Amino acid sequence: MAQREPGPPRRNVGVMAHIDAGKTTVSERILFYTGRIRKTGEVHDGAATMDYMDEERRRGITIKSAATTVKWRDVEINLIDTPGHVDFTAEVERSLRVLDGAVAVFCAVAGVQAQSETVWRQASRYGVPRICFVNKMDRTGADFDRVLRMVRDRLAVVPLPLQSPLGQESAFRGFLDLVEERAVEFMEQDGREFTVRPFTPDEALRAAEARHELIDAVSQFSDEVLEQYLSEQPIAPGLLRTAIRQATLTGRAAPILCGAALRNKGIQQVLDAIVDYLPAPEDLPTVSATDPADGTPVQIARSASSPPSALAFKTIADPNGDLTFLRVYTGVLRKGQLLLNPRTGRRVRIGRLVKMHARHRQPVEEAVAGDIAAALGLGDALTGDTLCDPEHPVALGAMSFPEAVISMSLTPASRADRDKLSDALARLTREDPTFRTYTDDETQELLIAGMGELHLDIVRSRLEGEYGVSTIAGPPRVAYRQALRRPVEVEARHVKQSGGHGQFAVVKVRFETGTTDRQLEFESAVVGGSVPREYHRSVAAGIEDVMKLGGDLRFPFVNLKATLYDGQFHEVDSSDLAFREAGRISLRKAIETAGTRLLEPRLQFLVEAPQEFLGDVLGDLQSRRSEIRSLFSENPVKEIRGLVPVAEMFSYSTVLRSLTQGRGTFHTEHAEYAPVPERIAEEVVRETLARRRKG
């Protein structure tokens, strides 16, 4: 096969931020300046291109990540606009998994906010280089230097300010370009045009000092810059750009730009920075994968001539066939091509390939290494699945998502709604890896579970608006968990004899506290073959069955480590089924012997409130069983951080608005599961059992 010619240079970039930092407005201006749209739509008017869902336009927030492709300086940019609300952090997670770079947007007034820190950690986990845009420089209270300090202190990264603002708040009019050594001033209020001029004498002094600090920071990452810096030679803009790029690609430094997206100020420079400082796919190392047969690590060259491999990172349910978003890492995907899904072992054929522009689809014949595209006709492909050449199977790294922390019961409003509900929920579940549905075996209640009240509220709104299903919701419930009270060793026997082959399995298992809130930690310490290796996985599967079922309370077990250390088998009567049942019996006996304790999800919170309301806010938080970890202030707004149980935070936004005359804000994210105080645990158990008896 002839070597394929390389395609146009490209960048795969996401825009990420805390809610209300202006992320979608930045994306909208990028579309405008690259000629993708002729007129900008505003988030507050419900007209933003990338917020295309009815719920997004009605609420003025981004709920789902949206993709598009633009071109700037002959570079093709695949752009993904991500949500800023913590309930939809999974959308950010799966976008960052497949992106090569990101633009982090910060509000010049609020600075580095809680969700900013969360998405920054997510990007660090996947090794995604970032540039930063300090937005809303024209707002009252804007402070560029304060944001720089917050970036350095809270995000543990070296900030590289490439610009120094000309004015702040209502006087913001442009910036000093420290790389090219020139002043940029925006013309008139809407800022769509700008002029470039030399520094004035005063500006030259300020710029020289700021550029000196920039070069000092960059010299940590470039020997050539360091050598010229120490010998006091002038640093040419081209060399400085190269060094800034090197520093950015390490992930330890981030270029900082400033502007006001709503007034069209600074967006062209953001586009230049994307091209100049963020990586192209070919700049990145080989792709890490595994052999699906035995888990052996595999390294694949990021080349269009390699066998094809792509990662499914997002699904949109569609009556005509699910639309699966793909990041192509190697090779070429073509319409009609046959691919392997290693998770299912099935082969799937690409029905159609499209490039996305928000909700609009542009058919294409192929997608090459480095592309982001979407495909129809991929069967039951899920988020995190790999699609690859059947002759060269590989498994790309999957994604992990947080567990749901609250649930509620859902009842169809009519018989007609009942008939449509299951299909609608199945589609929503395929789209959203953090959304769960299940039926309580005893009460037969249908339960939905998600990341927060807003998450479940939007699910109900989508059921009615998109699928025409009316429902009646029960009150929110906490997704409690259980753990064993103490370590325990048990012997479990499953021995049955009837006509023909019987069932024989004996296991001895040591149970103790594990280190994960989710999966079972299972180890084998069997010596001498008392339990053959082929049955070990069956024992673990039986234990997992009981963990998921959750005993009488139906609260799943977590923090569990099980060590199989001895047992017995029979040459004829032992089987996978027998040892799986023995595994179930072992955990049931451990529960009976050691007892259980109830665990509740706790949230890491950040509450911001003006100084005059601090006492009331602290008193209210303490009444909610919160654990205050820090109290910080750099201005009249106080920051309170700590941990608080999910059960105590329902409808907190209403309370906080009341306590602070509407001036307080808060942010939460799941942190851990912790033991419930005995008095409260007894009440939860009593209410849960009563509800089951009533059901």
Side-chain angles (χ1 to χ4, degrees):
M1 182 177 173
Q3 177 132 349
R4 181 187 175 81
E5 290 296 318
R10 63 173 59 84
R11 305 287 186 269
N12 294 312
V13 176
V15 184
M16 61 186 199
H18 187 94
I19 193 170
D20 288 337
K23 166 187 49 57
T24 298
T25 303
V26 169
S27 298
E28 193 77 6
R29 286 345 186 241
I30 287 175
L31 296 182
F32 175 76
Y33 282 115
T34 56
R36 200 67 172 83
I37 58 176
R38 294 178 178 273
K39 180 182 178 182
T40 57
E42 307 302 347
V43 174
H44 53 265
D45 293 331
T49 306
M50 302 295 271
D51 285 350
Y52 62 86
M53 292 174 57
D54 291 341
E55 282 298 307
E56 291 176 318
R57 296 190 166 192
R58 183 169 70 85
R59 297 172 186 264
I61 61 172
T62 301
I63 296 170
K64 286 188 170 295
S65 55
T68 190
T69 302
V70 300
K71 189 169 276 192
W72 185 257
R73 286 169 40 189
D74 295 324
V75 174
E76 188 177 272
I77 302 172
N78 292 314
L79 184 73
I80 296 182
D81 180 32
T82 64
H85 194 285
V86 66
D87 280 15
F88 311 107
T89 191
E91 287 286 322
V92 186
E93 181 86 17
R94 57 185 175 185
S95 297
L96 289 172
R97 169 63 180 83
V98 300
L99 291 171
D100 303 327
V103 179
V105 180
F106 303 108
C107 172
V109 180
V112 178
Q113 297 167 277
Q115 183 68 0
S116 307
E117 297 179 45
T118 300
V119 297
W120 193 274
R121 289 196 303 269
Q122 289 173 302
S124 296
R125 186 161 59 248
Y126 292 118
V128 177
R130 285 137 285 180
I131 62 175
C132 303
F133 179 63
V134 181
N135 191 26
K136 304 186 180 183
M137 286 294 299
D138 57 344
R139 290 271 301 273
T140 301
D143 189 336
F144 184 72
D145 292 335
R146 173 174 173 265
V147 178
L148 289 183
R149 290 194 298 273
M150 296 175 80
V151 167
R152 179 186 298 106
D153 297 341
R154 296 190 179 184
L155 304 181
V157 69
V158 178
L160 304 176
L162 309 187
Q163 302 166 349
S164 180
L166 286 170
Q168 293 188 152
E169 301 183 332
S170 61
F172 176 70
R173 64 186 187 280
F175 55 83
L176 306 179
D177 184 337
L178 304 180
V179 177
E180 298 291 341
E181 298 186 274
R182 60 189 185 180
V184 175
E185 282 199 75
F186 298 102
M187 299 172 64
E188 301 182 356
Q189 186 62 21
D190 72 357
R192 295 190 179 186
E193 301 291 335
F194 60 85
T195 60
V196 177
R197 59 169 175 77
F199 295 143
T200 66
D202 287 344
E203 291 169 351
L205 289 173
R206 180 156 67 94
E209 182 180 351
R211 195 172 196 265
H212 177 82
E213 293 176 358
L214 172 63
I215 292 170
D216 183 46
V218 171
S219 67
Q220 303 174 46
F221 305 93
S222 169
D223 291 340
E224 190 173 357
V225 169
L226 178 61
E227 183 179 336
Q228 294 194 18
Y229 176 57
L230 293 176
S231 60
E232 298 184 354
Q233 298 179 41
I235 310 294
L239 174 59
L240 187 54
R241 275 197 301 272
T242 300
I244 292 168
R245 180 179 176 83
Q246 292 173 354
T248 304
L249 296 188
T250 68
R252 294 160 46 209
I256 315 287
L257 301 96
C258 64
L262 190 62
R263 304 297 177 207
N264 308 292
K265 298 178 180 180
I267 302 303
Q268 296 100 318
Q269 289 75 25
V270 169
L271 283 161
D272 284 336
I274 288 173
V275 172
D276 289 340
Y277 305 122
L278 292 180
E282 55 268 22
D283 294 329
L284 301 170
T286 55
V287 181
S288 297
T290 57
D291 185 329
D294 56 14
T296 305
V298 178
Q299 296 295 319
I300 318 169
R302 293 176 183 262
S303 167
S305 58
S306 298
S309 66
L311 184 70
F313 68 94
K314 178 182 172 69
T315 298
I316 295 179
D318 190 294
N320 300 316
D322 290 355
L323 185 68
T324 305
F325 286 69
L326 301 171
R327 165 65 193 267
V328 184
Y329 282 96
T330 62
V332 182
L333 301 189
R334 294 184 176 87
K335 178 182 176 181
Q337 189 172 16
L338 196 64
L339 298 171
L340 172 69
N341 184 336
R343 179 182 63 84
T344 64
R346 297 175 187 168
R347 299 190 180 198
V348 296
R349 190 177 300 278
I350 297 176
R352 289 171 54 204
L353 274 173
V354 297
K355 284 291 191 77
M356 300 299 296
H357 174 51
R359 70 177 3 154
H360 303 292
R361 307 173 186 181
Q362 176 188 347
V364 294
E365 291 299 314
E366 62 182 30
V368 303
D371 264 341
I372 291 177
L376 289 93
L378 297 184
D380 54 358
L382 300 175
T383 295
D385 281 354
T386 298
L387 300 173
C388 60
D389 184 347
E391 302 304 317
H392 300 86
V394 294
L396 301 168
M399 290 168 267
S400 61
F401 298 101
E403 290 287 334
V405 296
I406 74 166
S407 66
M408 65 170 58
S409 62
L410 208 60
T411 305
S414 68
R415 182 185 297 274
D417 291 315
R418 182 167 63 244
D419 295 339
K420 296 184 289 185
L421 181 58
S422 60
D423 179 60
L425 289 176
R427 293 185 188 181
L428 292 173
T429 303
R430 288 202 303 275
E431 289 186 3
D432 186 349
T434 61
F435 176 62
R436 302 282 187 272
T437 68
Y438 54 97
T439 302
D440 188 296
D441 292 335
E442 291 188 14
T443 66
Q444 296 304 303
E445 280 184 306
L446 172 65
L447 299 173
I448 62 173
M451 301 306 299
E453 291 178 273
L454 178 62
H455 189 188
L456 297 186
D457 182 47
I458 286 175
V459 165
R460 289 194 62 218
S461 294
R462 291 188 65 194
L463 283 172
E464 184 160 358
E466 294 178 31
Y467 298 99
V469 181
S470 296
T471 58
I472 301 168
R477 300 179 192 169
V478 178
Y480 290 103
R481 296 290 185 264
Q482 295 182 88
L484 292 178
R485 282 191 175 273
R486 59 180 177 84
V488 64
E489 293 183 0
V490 298
E491 178 181 302
R493 304 175 64 87
H494 179 61
V495 181
K496 288 189 176 181
Q497 190 64 51
S498 56
H501 288 311
Q503 297 182 46
F504 185 94
V506 178
V507 296
K508 294 183 179 180
V509 185
R510 180 183 308 113
F511 291 98
E512 55 194 316
T513 301
T515 59
T516 174
D517 283 345
R518 302 176 69 178
Q519 293 85 13
L520 166 71
E521 291 180 59
F522 183 82
E523 289 186 3
S524 172
V526 174
V527 293
S530 58
V531 178
R533 181 170 297 276
E534 61 263 30
Y535 296 134
H536 294 184
R537 183 61 252 171
S538 298
V539 176
I543 295 171
E544 287 174 334
D545 289 343
V546 177
M547 286 182 66
K548 293 174 183 175
L549 187 61
D552 293 339
L553 296 175
R554 296 295 189 268
F555 296 140
F557 279 82
V558 294
N559 297 349
L560 187 64
K561 179 179 179 181
T563 304
L564 174 65
Y565 64 90
D566 201 359
Q568 300 173 43
F569 79 104
H570 189 278
E571 291 284 357
V572 176
D573 292 343
S574 290
S575 64
D576 285 322
L577 187 63
F579 274 96
R580 184 165 186 152
E581 183 58 33
R584 294 188 185 107
I585 294 169
S586 70
L587 182 51
R588 293 192 192 109
K589 290 188 71 172
I591 293 170
E592 184 179 339
T593 304
T596 64
R597 57 179 179 175
L598 199 63
L599 305 179
E600 63 183 350
R602 292 211 300 175
L603 302 171
Q604 180 176 288
F605 70 81
L606 166 62
V607 175
E608 295 179 310
Q611 168 71 45
E612 61 264 35
F613 305 114
L614 181 62
D616 290 341
V617 172
L618 282 173
D620 179 72
L621 284 170
Q622 288 166 351
S623 73
R624 296 173 184 272
R625 297 192 284 128
S626 69
E627 179 184 328
I628 307 296
R629 292 286 181 88
S630 68
L631 186 60
F632 176 80
S633 173
E634 195 180 79
N635 54 40
V637 175
K638 299 291 184 181
E639 290 185 0
I640 311 163
R641 293 176 183 260
L643 296 169
V644 65
V646 169
E648 302 291 347
M649 293 297 280
F650 292 135
S651 302
Y652 179 68
S653 57
T654 303
V655 174
L656 183 62
R657 281 196 300 269
S658 174
L659 290 174
T660 62
Q661 297 178 11
R663 295 162 62 191
T665 62
F666 79 103
H667 169 92
T668 61
E669 63 179 290
H670 176 68
E672 64 183 11
Y673 279 93
V676 181
E678 288 296 332
R679 176 182 58 80
I680 296 174
E682 290 171 3
E683 184 178 336
V684 171
V685 169
R686 186 167 56 251
E687 290 178 356
T688 301
L689 293 177
R691 186 169 61 249
R692 294 190 177 283
R693 285 194 295 269
K694 182 179 178 182

